[in-house]
Structures are given as C-alpha cells and as structure tokens.
Amino acid sequence: MPKLPPERWLKSTAAGLYCEPGCFHIDPSEPVERAVITHGHADHARVGHAHVLATPETVAIMAVRYGNAHAAAIEAASYRKPLQIGDVTVTLLPAGHILGSAQVMMEYAGTRAIVSGDFKRRRDPTCAPFEPVPCELFVTEATFGLPVFRHPVDAHEVARLLESMALSPERAHLVGVYPLGKCQRLLCLLRESGYAAPIYLHGALRALTDLYQSLGVDVGPTASIEGLAPAALNGALVLCPPAALADRWTRRLPDPVRAMASGWMQVRARARQQGAELPLTISDHADWDELLQTVADVQAGEVWVTHGREEGLVHALVQRGVKARALHIAGREEEEGEP
Ligand SMILES: [Zn+2]
Ligand SMILES: [Zn+2]
C-alpha cells in the first residue's frame, strides 16, 4: 500500500477526532459506536458509547464515576500493547496527566499519528511519565498554550502551603483541588515534602482517592471531618472540590485559610474569582516550554492544536517551520479537565 499521510485518514468531525480506517472516535463529545478514551476527566470520558477502549485505570475511573453500565462493551488495553482496530494498529502510551492517562498512537498505511490527550512532562508520583514517540502527525492539547504560562516547581508550591500552615498554626488550611488527579497528586506531593499527619478530605474526594489507593498510589493517611468539632481542626489540612471553597460547609472549619491548587492560579484574577487567598500553581497540563519541547521531541512534520489557546501555539510552531493548524473541537472544558 502506498504511504497515506495521516490527514487523509484522521478527520476532525462534529463529535471529535475520527479515525476512518478504524471506524473509531477519540474522546468523542457525543455517544458513538466506538470510542477510544484518553483519560477519565469528564470532558474526555463520557457515557453512552456502544464500545469503549481505554487503559485499565481509566476503565476503573469511569466505573467509579458512571457505574459499570456506561457503555455497552468496555475493553481495557495496557500501555504499549498494540491492538488491531479495523485496518489500524492502535497503541496507548503514557501521557503523564493523571492516573491511566494515555496518548493514542495510530499506525496506518505506513504513517503514524499520535493524539496526546491532556498531558504534562513533569514527574508526577501518581502516574507513568509521558513517553515521546516520533510520528508524522501529532495532535496536541494547548490548555496553557501562551508564553506567559510557565509553571513553577511543584515542591516550591507545596513548601508555600506548609509555610503558611506553620505561620498560622491555629487556623485550618482548606485547599480546593479537582477530584480526579489533582487531589491525589497533591496528597502525594505533601507526603514527599515530609507532611505525615492525616489529611482531611471533603466527601466528594473520597471515592476516587480510595480508587487511586487501591490501584497502588499511596496517598498516606486521610480522614473525614464529619462529626468533628471546629476546635478539633485547629491546624488541620483539608482538601475539597473547588466549588466547596466558598460554600456553607466551610463554616465547620476554624477560620480557614483558603487555597487552591491549579495551573490557573498563575492568573491572579482567577485566584480571586475562586476565593483563593493562597493560590498554588500546580498544573497537570504542559506549560508553554513543555508544549514546544514535546513537539520537538516527537519530530512531527505536522501538528494539530486543540483544547485551549490554539492560536498562540500554532503561531509559534509555524514560526519554527512546523506545519500547524488549530482544531476547534467542541465540548472541552477550559478548566483542568473538571467542570
Ligand atoms: Zn481535558
Ligand atoms: Zn484532563
């Protein structure tokens, strides 16, 4: 068979990216016959597909969130294990974003395309690191696709939280975290920084944290604040979903210092909007330098940019001699994967 460039067989459709010779969509925004899911965040993993393929960890995450009947047929594929779907060889590769997150590598007609899904390049104690693999076409996210986005070192942000706790030992510290990924990563980063005390979790964080623990991610001791008097929480560290930072629930805590862990905390207006007096810039997406480095690492002749600030990255890539264009795919959340 003559070589066929990936843009001839990988198509951008209303439901999302569609691989024609394999008859499957990647992270479709509406129910389809066959879906390959990169990871468990709600804007990528949706209910109602006839057939779902994902890593075993993503399958487990979807079962916790949606129950076992979210798709008619569910198939798990481990990283680096090639599968034949129609005429296409599909291989899932680690993306370093959250537990189970995968890039989708497709090989067909002598060419290779890789869809990154959401990814980052920094070490994350909760998941396997991103694996760059050379390809002809790379489809990259660009959540933080502007040169202003340069994320600090995680340990530095965690140290700021611990310093604040040391300065106000009588107050509780309440940190807003996305329930899938950020919560468990922050727990692990705190443990690596030497914080060994139990960390209190809002009830909405419990199920996925228990799942991570059962899949071998040791987050250390956690506890519920149910039934505790405020005085028992002096000096406590409490994690909650971002939306709970400002609700009545927080009255149970003694004069809490409100913090938020997100890549967006670099934007002060966002921090204020979330009610975070202590913004911690901890991101599960590639920053500007990581995006450019990754495109260089995979040596792709063509790059499609999706999911965020497409135009900035497209412009920078074209300047560097890479053929690039923006894909405007509907249904992606601007937040870090979590509505
Ligand atoms: Zn996403
Ligand atoms: Zn995500």
Side-chain angles (χ1 to χ4, degrees):
M1 197 185 327
K3 276 196 173 193
L4 206 55
E7 64 266 27
R8 298 277 298 281
W9 49 268
L10 186 64
K11 302 280 164 75
S12 178
T13 71
L17 283 169
Y18 179 66
C19 178
E20 235 165 36
C23 300
F24 61 87
H25 288 80
I26 298 171
D27 292 350
S29 57
E30 54 192 65
V32 298
E33 190 53 35
R34 198 176 238 282
V36 177
I37 306 291
T38 60
H39 66 287
H41 279 147
D43 54 330
H44 297 258
R46 296 170 196 265
V47 300
H49 307 306
H51 185 280
V52 160
L53 175 75
T55 62
E57 296 83 0
T58 297
V59 167
I61 288 165
M62 290 179 78
V64 164
R65 302 197 117 179
Y66 306 137
N68 283 314
H70 64 81
I74 300 165
E75 185 185 352
S78 302
Y79 292 135
R80 302 177 203 89
K81 184 173 161 263
L83 289 172
Q84 205 63 33
I85 305 182
D87 295 329
V88 185
T89 305
V90 176
T91 311
L92 302 180
L93 302 168
H97 173 57
I98 62 167
L99 183 63
S101 64
Q103 310 171 64
V104 181
M105 178 163 87
M106 289 155 281
E107 292 164 299
Y108 174 69
T111 53
R112 182 187 282 164
I114 295 179
V115 175
S116 73
D118 292 348
F119 74 96
K120 68 175 175 294
R121 301 300 300 272
R122 293 162 195 238
R123 197 189 72 87
D124 178 338
T126 69
C127 64
F130 180 95
E131 249 175 59
V133 172
C135 54
E136 275 81 21
L137 170 66
F138 187 63
V139 182
T140 182
E141 64 133 322
T143 303
F144 293 109
L146 286 175
V148 292
F149 291 115
R150 291 197 161 89
H151 303 319
V153 176
D154 314 324
H156 176 260
E157 299 299 285
V158 172
R160 288 176 53 232
L161 173 59
L162 296 175
E163 277 161 26
S164 174
M165 293 174 67
L167 282 172
S168 304
E170 73 295 347
R171 298 175 73 184
H173 277 67
L174 179 63
V175 188
V177 288
Y178 302 110
L180 172 56
K182 191 75 75 216
C183 170
Q184 299 77 22
R185 180 167 169 226
L186 181 59
L187 289 168
C188 289
L189 291 173
L190 282 157
R191 300 315 182 191
E192 288 182 350
S193 297
Y195 189 81
I199 297 172
Y200 293 89
L201 298 183
H202 184 284
L205 304 177
R206 174 54 62 192
L208 286 165
T209 303
D210 286 350
L211 177 69
Y212 266 61
Q213 190 82 34
S214 76
L215 293 175
V217 178
D218 186 10
V219 301
T222 56
S224 162
I225 69 161
E226 289 311 317
L228 294 179
L233 292 164
N234 286 348
L237 180 56
V238 185
L239 307 190
C240 69
L245 270 180
D247 77 17
R248 290 170 55 88
W249 176 84
T250 63
R251 291 188 200 168
R252 302 188 202 175
L253 304 175
D255 187 23
V257 175
R258 287 179 170 80
M260 167 89 191
S262 156
W264 292 109
M265 290 301 99
Q266 197 191 327
V267 182
R268 293 303 160 189
R270 290 260 191 157
R272 273 196 302 276
Q273 194 187 329
Q274 297 268 9
E277 49 191 297
L278 179 62
L280 307 170
T281 306
I282 300 178
S283 174
D284 286 314
H285 294 271
D287 70 4
W288 179 251
D289 295 324
E290 291 171 64
L291 289 169
L292 291 177
Q293 184 60 51
T294 302
V295 169
D297 287 347
V298 301
Q299 303 159 33
E302 176 155 5
V303 174
W304 295 350
V305 183
T306 178
H307 211 108
R309 280 134 198 83
E310 287 108 345
E311 307 302 340
L313 186 58
V314 166
H315 181 72
L317 291 175
V318 169
Q319 277 186 324
R320 286 164 175 75
V322 178
K323 193 175 160 198
R325 72 177 175 96
L327 282 189
H328 299 282
I329 292 181
R332 294 280 184 267
E333 302 297 334
E334 207 193 30
E335 286 295 341
E336 293 191 287
E338 296 295 300

PDB file of all heavy atoms in Angstrom, residues 298-324:
ATOM      1  N   VAL A 298       8.818  14.812  19.481  1.00  0.00           N
ATOM      2  CA  VAL A 298       8.134  13.816  18.644  1.00  0.00           C
ATOM      3  C   VAL A 298       8.447  14.014  17.156  1.00  0.00           C
ATOM      4  O   VAL A 298       8.050  13.199  16.321  1.00  0.00           O
ATOM      5  CB  VAL A 298       6.601  13.795  18.871  1.00  0.00           C
ATOM      6  CG1 VAL A 298       6.277  13.474  20.329  1.00  0.00           C
ATOM      7  CG2 VAL A 298       5.953  15.099  18.446  1.00  0.00           C
ATOM      8  N   GLN A 299       9.156  15.104  16.843  1.00  0.00           N
ATOM      9  CA  GLN A 299       9.663  15.333  15.478  1.00  0.00           C
ATOM     10  C   GLN A 299       8.579  15.279  14.406  1.00  0.00           C
ATOM     11  O   GLN A 299       8.831  14.833  13.273  1.00  0.00           O
ATOM     12  CB  GLN A 299      10.751  14.297  15.145  1.00  0.00           C
ATOM     13  CG  GLN A 299      11.921  14.295  16.116  1.00  0.00           C
ATOM     14  CD  GLN A 299      12.690  12.972  16.092  1.00  0.00           C
ATOM     15  OE1 GLN A 299      12.791  12.317  15.053  1.00  0.00           O
ATOM     16  NE2 GLN A 299      13.206  12.553  17.224  1.00  0.00           N
ATOM     17  N   ALA A 300       7.368  15.690  14.764  1.00  0.00           N
ATOM     18  CA  ALA A 300       6.267  15.597  13.808  1.00  0.00           C
ATOM     19  C   ALA A 300       6.389  16.694  12.749  1.00  0.00           C
ATOM     20  O   ALA A 300       6.690  17.843  13.060  1.00  0.00           O
ATOM     21  CB  ALA A 300       4.932  15.731  14.541  1.00  0.00           C
ATOM     22  N   GLY A 301       6.120  16.335  11.512  1.00  0.00           N
ATOM     23  CA  GLY A 301       6.124  17.321  10.442  1.00  0.00           C
ATOM     24  C   GLY A 301       4.877  18.176  10.480  1.00  0.00           C
ATOM     25  O   GLY A 301       4.846  19.290   9.963  1.00  0.00           O
ATOM     26  N   GLU A 302       3.815  17.626  11.072  1.00  0.00           N
ATOM     27  CA  GLU A 302       2.555  18.354  11.137  1.00  0.00           C
ATOM     28  C   GLU A 302       1.961  18.240  12.537  1.00  0.00           C
ATOM     29  O   GLU A 302       2.004  17.177  13.166  1.00  0.00           O
ATOM     30  CB  GLU A 302       1.572  17.784  10.101  1.00  0.00           C
ATOM     31  CG  GLU A 302       0.212  18.438  10.188  1.00  0.00           C
ATOM     32  CD  GLU A 302      -0.582  18.382   8.888  1.00  0.00           C
ATOM     33  OE1 GLU A 302      -0.111  17.752   7.924  1.00  0.00           O
ATOM     34  OE2 GLU A 302      -1.669  18.988   8.852  1.00  0.00           O
ATOM     35  N   VAL A 303       1.438  19.360  13.032  1.00  0.00           N
ATOM     36  CA  VAL A 303       0.860  19.387  14.375  1.00  0.00           C
ATOM     37  C   VAL A 303      -0.524  20.011  14.305  1.00  0.00           C
ATOM     38  O   VAL A 303      -0.720  21.055  13.677  1.00  0.00           O
ATOM     39  CB  VAL A 303       1.766  20.201  15.342  1.00  0.00           C
ATOM     40  CG1 VAL A 303       1.099  20.352  16.715  1.00  0.00           C
ATOM     41  CG2 VAL A 303       3.127  19.532  15.496  1.00  0.00           C
ATOM     42  N   TRP A 304      -1.482  19.344  14.947  1.00  0.00           N
ATOM     43  CA  TRP A 304      -2.803  19.937  15.112  1.00  0.00           C
ATOM     44  C   TRP A 304      -2.951  20.305  16.577  1.00  0.00           C
ATOM     45  O   TRP A 304      -2.584  19.539  17.461  1.00  0.00           O
ATOM     46  CB  TRP A 304      -3.909  18.949  14.722  1.00  0.00           C
ATOM     47  CG  TRP A 304      -3.908  18.579  13.269  1.00  0.00           C
ATOM     48  CD1 TRP A 304      -3.174  19.154  12.274  1.00  0.00           C
ATOM     49  CD2 TRP A 304      -4.674  17.530  12.660  1.00  0.00           C
ATOM     50  NE1 TRP A 304      -3.438  18.547  11.071  1.00  0.00           N
ATOM     51  CE2 TRP A 304      -4.354  17.542  11.286  1.00  0.00           C
ATOM     52  CE3 TRP A 304      -5.594  16.596  13.142  1.00  0.00           C
ATOM     53  CZ2 TRP A 304      -4.931  16.640  10.388  1.00  0.00           C
ATOM     54  CZ3 TRP A 304      -6.166  15.696  12.251  1.00  0.00           C
ATOM     55  CH2 TRP A 304      -5.844  15.728  10.878  1.00  0.00           C
ATOM     56  N   VAL A 305      -3.504  21.484  16.824  1.00  0.00           N
ATOM     57  CA  VAL A 305      -3.576  22.005  18.187  1.00  0.00           C
ATOM     58  C   VAL A 305      -5.038  22.108  18.612  1.00  0.00           C
ATOM     59  O   VAL A 305      -5.879  22.631  17.876  1.00  0.00           O
ATOM     60  CB  VAL A 305      -2.906  23.392  18.267  1.00  0.00           C
ATOM     61  CG1 VAL A 305      -2.910  23.911  19.703  1.00  0.00           C
ATOM     62  CG2 VAL A 305      -1.471  23.326  17.733  1.00  0.00           C
ATOM     63  N   THR A 306      -5.320  21.605  19.802  1.00  0.00           N
ATOM     64  CA  THR A 306      -6.695  21.602  20.275  1.00  0.00           C
ATOM     65  C   THR A 306      -6.744  21.998  21.737  1.00  0.00           C
ATOM     66  O   THR A 306      -5.709  22.122  22.389  1.00  0.00           O
ATOM     67  CB  THR A 306      -7.315  20.198  20.062  1.00  0.00           C
ATOM     68  OG1 THR A 306      -8.640  20.193  20.581  1.00  0.00           O
ATOM     69  CG2 THR A 306      -6.519  19.121  20.771  1.00  0.00           C
ATOM     70  N   HIS A 307      -7.967  22.274  22.240  1.00  0.00           N
ATOM     71  CA  HIS A 307      -8.133  22.258  23.682  1.00  0.00           C
ATOM     72  C   HIS A 307      -7.464  23.436  24.379  1.00  0.00           C
ATOM     73  O   HIS A 307      -6.581  23.252  25.213  1.00  0.00           O
ATOM     74  CB  HIS A 307      -7.450  20.977  24.183  1.00  0.00           C
ATOM     75  CG  HIS A 307      -8.084  20.401  25.405  1.00  0.00           C
ATOM     76  ND1 HIS A 307      -8.814  19.272  25.342  1.00  0.00           N
ATOM     77  CD2 HIS A 307      -8.086  20.777  26.689  1.00  0.00           C
ATOM     78  CE1 HIS A 307      -9.242  18.972  26.540  1.00  0.00           C
ATOM     79  NE2 HIS A 307      -8.819  19.869  27.383  1.00  0.00           N
ATOM     80  N   GLY A 308      -7.866  24.625  24.053  1.00  0.00           N
ATOM     81  CA  GLY A 308      -7.326  25.756  24.805  1.00  0.00           C
ATOM     82  C   GLY A 308      -6.883  26.873  23.904  1.00  0.00           C
ATOM     83  O   GLY A 308      -7.600  27.262  22.988  1.00  0.00           O
ATOM     84  N   ARG A 309      -5.670  27.373  24.159  1.00  0.00           N
ATOM     85  CA  ARG A 309      -5.175  28.529  23.430  1.00  0.00           C
ATOM     86  C   ARG A 309      -4.450  28.082  22.157  1.00  0.00           C
ATOM     87  O   ARG A 309      -3.232  28.097  22.082  1.00  0.00           O
ATOM     88  CB  ARG A 309      -4.278  29.350  24.348  1.00  0.00           C
ATOM     89  CG  ARG A 309      -5.104  30.191  25.261  1.00  0.00           C
ATOM     90  CD  ARG A 309      -4.697  30.178  26.700  1.00  0.00           C
ATOM     91  NE  ARG A 309      -5.807  30.680  27.510  1.00  0.00           N
ATOM     92  CZ  ARG A 309      -6.830  29.923  27.909  1.00  0.00           C
ATOM     93  NH1 ARG A 309      -6.883  28.653  27.576  1.00  0.00           N
ATOM     94  NH2 ARG A 309      -7.796  30.433  28.615  1.00  0.00           N
ATOM     95  N   GLU A 310      -5.279  27.670  21.174  1.00  0.00           N
ATOM     96  CA  GLU A 310      -4.712  27.082  19.969  1.00  0.00           C
ATOM     97  C   GLU A 310      -3.849  28.065  19.177  1.00  0.00           C
ATOM     98  O   GLU A 310      -2.758  27.726  18.742  1.00  0.00           O
ATOM     99  CB  GLU A 310      -5.821  26.564  19.048  1.00  0.00           C
ATOM    100  CG  GLU A 310      -6.495  25.290  19.537  1.00  0.00           C
ATOM    101  CD  GLU A 310      -7.911  25.536  20.037  1.00  0.00           C
ATOM    102  OE1 GLU A 310      -8.267  26.706  20.275  1.00  0.00           O
ATOM    103  OE2 GLU A 310      -8.652  24.544  20.179  1.00  0.00           O
ATOM    104  N   GLU A 311      -4.361  29.288  18.998  1.00  0.00           N
ATOM    105  CA  GLU A 311      -3.730  30.190  18.027  1.00  0.00           C
ATOM    106  C   GLU A 311      -2.294  30.554  18.415  1.00  0.00           C
ATOM    107  O   GLU A 311      -1.427  30.667  17.558  1.00  0.00           O
ATOM    108  CB  GLU A 311      -4.570  31.458  17.848  1.00  0.00           C
ATOM    109  CG  GLU A 311      -6.049  31.205  17.511  1.00  0.00           C
ATOM    110  CD  GLU A 311      -6.267  30.391  16.235  1.00  0.00           C
ATOM    111  OE1 GLU A 311      -5.340  30.318  15.397  1.00  0.00           O
ATOM    112  OE2 GLU A 311      -7.365  29.812  16.084  1.00  0.00           O
ATOM    113  N   GLY A 312      -2.059  30.734  19.717  1.00  0.00           N
ATOM    114  CA  GLY A 312      -0.717  31.112  20.172  1.00  0.00           C
ATOM    115  C   GLY A 312       0.301  30.045  19.831  1.00  0.00           C
ATOM    116  O   GLY A 312       1.396  30.333  19.324  1.00  0.00           O
ATOM    117  N   LEU A 313      -0.062  28.802  20.074  1.00  0.00           N
ATOM    118  CA  LEU A 313       0.873  27.710  19.810  1.00  0.00           C
ATOM    119  C   LEU A 313       1.043  27.494  18.305  1.00  0.00           C
ATOM    120  O   LEU A 313       2.158  27.269  17.825  1.00  0.00           O
ATOM    121  CB  LEU A 313       0.404  26.426  20.502  1.00  0.00           C
ATOM    122  CG  LEU A 313       1.361  25.241  20.420  1.00  0.00           C
ATOM    123  CD1 LEU A 313       2.730  25.578  21.030  1.00  0.00           C
ATOM    124  CD2 LEU A 313       0.779  24.002  21.111  1.00  0.00           C
ATOM    125  N   VAL A 314      -0.064  27.576  17.562  1.00  0.00           N
ATOM    126  CA  VAL A 314       0.020  27.428  16.107  1.00  0.00           C
ATOM    127  C   VAL A 314       0.997  28.460  15.537  1.00  0.00           C
ATOM    128  O   VAL A 314       1.887  28.135  14.743  1.00  0.00           O
ATOM    129  CB  VAL A 314      -1.374  27.580  15.447  1.00  0.00           C
ATOM    130  CG1 VAL A 314      -1.249  27.765  13.940  1.00  0.00           C
ATOM    131  CG2 VAL A 314      -2.244  26.367  15.763  1.00  0.00           C
ATOM    132  N   HIS A 315       0.863  29.691  15.981  1.00  0.00           N
ATOM    133  CA  HIS A 315       1.725  30.764  15.509  1.00  0.00           C
ATOM    134  C   HIS A 315       3.197  30.451  15.813  1.00  0.00           C
ATOM    135  O   HIS A 315       4.063  30.568  14.932  1.00  0.00           O
ATOM    136  CB  HIS A 315       1.305  32.081  16.171  1.00  0.00           C
ATOM    137  CG  HIS A 315       2.102  33.256  15.750  1.00  0.00           C
ATOM    138  ND1 HIS A 315       1.991  33.823  14.489  1.00  0.00           N
ATOM    139  CD2 HIS A 315       3.054  33.967  16.397  1.00  0.00           C
ATOM    140  CE1 HIS A 315       2.834  34.826  14.398  1.00  0.00           C
ATOM    141  NE2 HIS A 315       3.488  34.936  15.530  1.00  0.00           N
ATOM    142  N   ALA A 316       3.468  30.041  17.039  1.00  0.00           N
ATOM    143  CA  ALA A 316       4.857  29.753  17.431  1.00  0.00           C
ATOM    144  C   ALA A 316       5.429  28.585  16.630  1.00  0.00           C
ATOM    145  O   ALA A 316       6.602  28.592  16.251  1.00  0.00           O
ATOM    146  CB  ALA A 316       4.929  29.459  18.924  1.00  0.00           C
ATOM    147  N   LEU A 317       4.597  27.584  16.348  1.00  0.00           N
ATOM    148  CA  LEU A 317       5.089  26.416  15.609  1.00  0.00           C
ATOM    149  C   LEU A 317       5.370  26.774  14.155  1.00  0.00           C
ATOM    150  O   LEU A 317       6.384  26.356  13.585  1.00  0.00           O
ATOM    151  CB  LEU A 317       4.066  25.271  15.693  1.00  0.00           C
ATOM    152  CG  LEU A 317       3.909  24.645  17.085  1.00  0.00           C
ATOM    153  CD1 LEU A 317       2.797  23.605  17.082  1.00  0.00           C
ATOM    154  CD2 LEU A 317       5.219  24.019  17.558  1.00  0.00           C
ATOM    155  N   VAL A 318       4.463  27.547  13.544  1.00  0.00           N
ATOM    156  CA  VAL A 318       4.669  27.958  12.159  1.00  0.00           C
ATOM    157  C   VAL A 318       5.975  28.750  12.046  1.00  0.00           C
ATOM    158  O   VAL A 318       6.761  28.542  11.116  1.00  0.00           O
ATOM    159  CB  VAL A 318       3.453  28.761  11.644  1.00  0.00           C
ATOM    160  CG1 VAL A 318       3.752  29.425  10.309  1.00  0.00           C
ATOM    161  CG2 VAL A 318       2.225  27.847  11.527  1.00  0.00           C
ATOM    162  N   GLN A 319       6.211  29.619  13.031  1.00  0.00           N
ATOM    163  CA  GLN A 319       7.471  30.378  13.049  1.00  0.00           C
ATOM    164  C   GLN A 319       8.685  29.465  13.099  1.00  0.00           C
ATOM    165  O   GLN A 319       9.751  29.804  12.602  1.00  0.00           O
ATOM    166  CB  GLN A 319       7.509  31.295  14.278  1.00  0.00           C
ATOM    167  CG  GLN A 319       6.772  32.597  14.088  1.00  0.00           C
ATOM    168  CD  GLN A 319       6.982  33.509  15.292  1.00  0.00           C
ATOM    169  OE1 GLN A 319       7.062  33.032  16.425  1.00  0.00           O
ATOM    170  NE2 GLN A 319       7.061  34.801  15.044  1.00  0.00           N
ATOM    171  N   ARG A 320       8.516  28.301  13.716  1.00  0.00           N
ATOM    172  CA  ARG A 320       9.622  27.338  13.829  1.00  0.00           C
ATOM    173  C   ARG A 320       9.659  26.372  12.644  1.00  0.00           C
ATOM    174  O   ARG A 320      10.373  25.372  12.678  1.00  0.00           O
ATOM    175  CB  ARG A 320       9.499  26.557  15.129  1.00  0.00           C
ATOM    176  CG  ARG A 320       9.884  27.381  16.361  1.00  0.00           C
ATOM    177  CD  ARG A 320       9.393  26.724  17.649  1.00  0.00           C
ATOM    178  NE  ARG A 320       9.859  27.439  18.829  1.00  0.00           N
ATOM    179  CZ  ARG A 320       9.373  28.604  19.260  1.00  0.00           C
ATOM    180  NH1 ARG A 320       8.399  29.207  18.586  1.00  0.00           N
ATOM    181  NH2 ARG A 320       9.846  29.175  20.350  1.00  0.00           N
ATOM    182  N   GLY A 321       8.842  26.614  11.643  1.00  0.00           N
ATOM    183  CA  GLY A 321       8.888  25.794  10.438  1.00  0.00           C
ATOM    184  C   GLY A 321       8.062  24.526  10.504  1.00  0.00           C
ATOM    185  O   GLY A 321       8.202  23.636   9.664  1.00  0.00           O
ATOM    186  N   VAL A 322       7.187  24.401  11.519  1.00  0.00           N
ATOM    187  CA  VAL A 322       6.328  23.220  11.631  1.00  0.00           C
ATOM    188  C   VAL A 322       4.976  23.561  11.007  1.00  0.00           C
ATOM    189  O   VAL A 322       4.429  24.642  11.233  1.00  0.00           O
ATOM    190  CB  VAL A 322       6.131  22.819  13.117  1.00  0.00           C
ATOM    191  CG1 VAL A 322       5.200  21.622  13.229  1.00  0.00           C
ATOM    192  CG2 VAL A 322       7.471  22.530  13.774  1.00  0.00           C
ATOM    193  N   LYS A 323       4.448  22.620  10.212  1.00  0.00           N
ATOM    194  CA  LYS A 323       3.121  22.808   9.646  1.00  0.00           C
ATOM    195  C   LYS A 323       2.103  22.608  10.779  1.00  0.00           C
ATOM    196  O   LYS A 323       2.048  21.534  11.383  1.00  0.00           O
ATOM    197  CB  LYS A 323       2.915  21.762   8.545  1.00  0.00           C
ATOM    198  CG  LYS A 323       1.730  22.005   7.653  1.00  0.00           C
ATOM    199  CD  LYS A 323       1.739  20.955   6.522  1.00  0.00           C
ATOM    200  CE  LYS A 323       0.352  20.843   5.913  1.00  0.00           C
ATOM    201  NZ  LYS A 323       0.201  19.592   5.143  1.00  0.00           N
ATOM    202  N   ALA A 324       1.345  23.647  11.105  1.00  0.00           N
ATOM    203  CA  ALA A 324       0.450  23.542  12.268  1.00  0.00           C
ATOM    204  C   ALA A 324      -0.885  24.188  11.979  1.00  0.00           C
ATOM    205  O   ALA A 324      -0.972  25.160  11.230  1.00  0.00           O
ATOM    206  CB  ALA A 324       1.094  24.221  13.480  1.00  0.00           C
TER     207      ALA A 324
END
